Amino acid sequence: DEFDMPFLKKWVRTKHAILFRISNRTVQVVFYDRSEVLLSSEARIITFVNKLGFRTEHSLDDVLHSGRLDIAKRLKYTKDIMYRLINTQGK
């Protein structure tokens, strides 16, 4: 329902970050260096917050072809965490 307030479905703490999975299919990863990645599954938009708090939005395609190693590195880490979460559920 469009009026339901999003809620936290799952969270996990790792060596470098805390990952939050929200009920609206958004994933937020807060890294211990104060940077953040927010992934919107609907729009395929990545919001990146750097260590200084500066926020930028990018399409997934832009990030993959932009040469932004800071974002790409964090996206790869996020993917690895999510892969482990998916593959360890129910085990």
Side-chain angles (χ1 to χ4, degrees):
D1 183 80
E2 66 183 83
F3 299 108
D4 287 341
M5 182 176 287
F7 61 91
L8 181 64
K9 285 189 81 167
K10 187 168 191 130
W11 68 275
V12 64
R13 181 187 304 255
T14 69
K15 182 178 178 182
H16 299 288
I18 301 174
L19 180 139
F20 302 97
R21 203 174 98 206
I22 313 301
S23 62
N24 64 3
R25 301 189 61 187
T26 297
V27 172
Q28 178 179 9
V29 184
V30 179
F31 292 88
Y32 298 137
D33 69 0
R34 300 176 66 191
S35 62
E36 293 182 36
V37 171
L38 287 97
L39 303 173
S40 165
S41 65
E42 309 287 311
R44 294 175 55 95
I45 295 292
I46 297 162
T47 303
F48 176 67
V49 181
N50 72 11
K51 298 174 191 180
L52 302 175
F54 184 71
R55 179 180 301 258
T56 54
E57 284 192 356
H58 310 270
S59 73
L60 186 56
D61 291 335
D62 287 348
V63 170
L64 296 175
H65 298 100
S66 69
R68 290 285 308 264
L69 296 179
D70 53 344
I71 300 174
K73 182 172 83 170
R74 286 165 180 82
L75 279 178
K76 182 183 182 322
Y77 189 78
T78 300
K79 183 186 82 168
D80 293 345
I81 296 169
M82 292 174 64
Y83 180 82
R84 280 188 298 210
L85 275 177
I86 290 166
N87 287 307
T88 57
Q89 285 181 339
K91 291 184 181 177

